[in-house]
Amino acid sequence: MIDLTLAEIAHIVGGTLMGGDASTVVSGLTDTDSRLIAPGDIFVAKPGEETDGHLFVPAAVANGAALVIVEQEVVGEGDLPLAVPQIVVRDTVVALGALAKEVVARVRALGGLRVVGITGSNGKTTTKNLVAAMCGRAGITVSPRDSFNNEVGAPLTMLKVTQDTEFLILELGASGIGHISLLTDMVHPDIAVVLMVGLAHAGEFGGVEATVTAKSELVTALPPTGIAILNADDARVMSMRSRAPGAVVTFGFSARAQVRATDVEASLAGTSFVLHVPDSEPVGVHFQVLGEHHVMNALAAAAVGRALGFSTALIVDALESVQRAEHWRMEVMGGNGVTVINDAYNASPDSMAAALKTLVLVAGPHNRTIAVLGEMAELGEFSGEEHDRIALLIVRLNIDELVVVGAGARRLHISAINEGSWDGESKFFETQDEAYDYLSGLLAVDDIVLVKSSNAANLRFLGDRIGELYA
């Protein structure tokens, strides 16, 4: 973060400064988690659904916080004044956003910062990591930690910029109309990437068309000089073309895409393909990230690179350097003859289908394929039919065994059985421990295991346990 005085911060967030010297300079805001506060940081006491950040102000101060932003004055031990200054505001989350907006605006005024915003129902974090790897080769780059993509995480990322930052990469999530607009108003992106529109979080949005409206907010936020990067293979995404104020670049597998891939071949070692970009000769890429669906994310990243003026050589070097999408995203684990693909950070119908197809694609005739699946959450009225559809896909792909974990995914197990072509190949367990016990007695050399669920189902930890068992 750039240097700001206490007086400047109070003015920016519209709050009242209590205690401290108004001319004191602070320049750090790491997290809203008091445990992650570093000496000299600002601590924002954010109310939560289960707890309240104000309760952790003393812990933040003990960890070295130089300033706290609160919604009501906090006193120290024995009702004495707090040991550090505090700024009292009406809403700490709004204050966080206001501070981020001002910091980005000041850095942008220096003329060297370019902002890339990325959204979509799936693939945001992987694409963000690829773009960050690319931009990091060209200049000082700031990008989100993990999936920091909401009204708290995105501003925290924005606040990491300094006068020297050249590229700010943002992952922009939403669970309703207006959420992305709230974030883009803070940064005014130069490049907008829309990966796909699927059923992820459709229950929260209220349907797919509402999802299209929400995701298109990133495109409409562009200035006339901005560039929209759109998935040529997704009709819903391409419908946003007419909303782009400036240039549009497309990516995908289809021949009409400006940035595209051909000759895609997948294995447990990754995915190879030939990259085609405008004004450059086709070039082979060995992409270490597993899964054809991640090639789409690589193409989106390559399109960003071209929009930023990067050479094809730099783009390919960056793509080939990334060894995994992210922890728990198509992460290859295991050993001693057993391969575990832990992809249980999140799951939508689209990403579930893609992961299952990858499982089959990378398996040889001597491999047994086992899918360990949990619930796909946040699908609302689509939940039942989408779990049915995945069950049908599993049977049609001829996956050798299905292990379903958790009550929320029971319909997947029942639907697979009802397909009638299986006889005992689907097993259901209420708990992860039960599933682990079963799998530890089942798995053998040459087995390939996919573990996939929504984040809420927590199967990523089961994937870790299985992977560590055979490491």
Side-chain angles (χ1 to χ4, degrees), residues 157-177:
T157 301
M158 298 172 199
L159 286 166
K160 290 163 62 179
V161 301
T162 67
Q163 291 90 338
D164 299 323
T165 304
E166 297 173 64
F167 304 101
L168 172 60
I169 317 303
L170 293 171
E171 177 182 338
L172 303 177
S175 55
I177 292 172

Side-chain angles (χ1 to χ4, degrees), residues 44-82:
V44 178
K46 180 179 71 72
E49 295 180 2
E50 298 180 0
T51 188
D52 187 340
H54 292 79
L55 300 175
F56 300 97
V57 167
V61 173
N63 283 341
L67 168 69
V68 297
I69 298 178
V70 294
E71 293 181 3
Q72 63 264 348
E73 183 181 2
V74 177
V75 297
E77 292 186 14
D79 290 335
L80 295 174
L82 198 65

Side-chain angles (χ1 to χ4, degrees), residues 225-365:
T225 55
I227 300 174
I229 295 177
L230 306 178
N231 183 346
D233 298 349
D234 188 318
R236 295 188 182 103
V237 174
M238 286 306 295
S239 72
M240 302 176 193
R241 184 171 200 149
S242 61
R243 309 185 197 189
V248 173
V249 175
T250 60
F251 66 93
F253 293 119
S254 63
R256 64 179 176 275
Q258 293 165 277
V259 178
R260 61 191 179 93
T262 59
D263 304 310
V264 179
E265 296 183 6
S267 72
L268 285 174
T271 311
S272 64
F273 62 94
V274 175
L275 174 65
H276 302 257
V277 296
D279 304 318
S280 180
E281 290 296 315
V283 60
V285 179
H286 178 65
F287 191 42
Q288 298 183 67
V289 179
L290 186 64
E292 184 178 295
H293 53 298
H294 283 307
V295 173
M296 286 294 283
N297 301 328
L299 295 174
V304 172
R306 293 301 284 180
L308 290 171
F310 299 159
S311 69
T312 303
L314 183 150
I315 291 168
V316 172
D317 180 59
L319 293 178
E320 293 189 333
S321 73
V322 176
Q323 297 183 355
R324 67 178 186 182
E326 183 88 3
H327 189 28
W328 298 314
R329 289 178 170 89
M330 296 305 284
E331 183 175 7
V332 180
M333 307 173 66
N336 296 306
V338 175
T339 301
V340 178
I341 304 170
N342 192 350
D343 193 35
Y345 184 82
N346 226 329
S348 68
D350 293 314
S351 69
M352 183 73 84
L356 289 165
K357 290 174 184 176
T358 298
L359 171 63
V360 173
L361 195 61
V362 301

Side-chain angles (χ1 to χ4, degrees), residues 16 226 364:
T16 302

Side-chain angles (χ1 to χ4, degrees), residues 17 88 99 102 119 208 237 263 278 289 458:
L17 175 64
V88 181
L99 187 59
E102 179 65 19
T119 194
V208 177
V237 174
D263 304 310
V289 179
N458 290 321

Side-chain angles (χ1 to χ4, degrees), residues 59 111 113 118 159-160 162 190-191 230 233 348 373 387 410:
L113 179 66
I118 301 167
L159 286 166
K160 290 163 62 179
T162 67
D190 302 294
I191 295 175
L230 306 178
D233 298 349
S348 68
L373 307 182
H387 282 87
R410 188 180 184 93

Side-chain angles (χ1 to χ4, degrees), residues 23-24 48 75 129 141 168 193 196 199 204 211 228 233 235 248 254 263 289 297 307 322 339 375 392:
S23 64
T24 299
V75 297
N129 289 339
T141 300
L168 172 60
V193 182
M196 66 175 299
L199 287 175
E204 293 183 331
T211 306
D233 298 349
V248 173
S254 63
D263 304 310
V289 179
N297 301 328
V322 176
T339 301
E375 180 183 12
L392 176 60

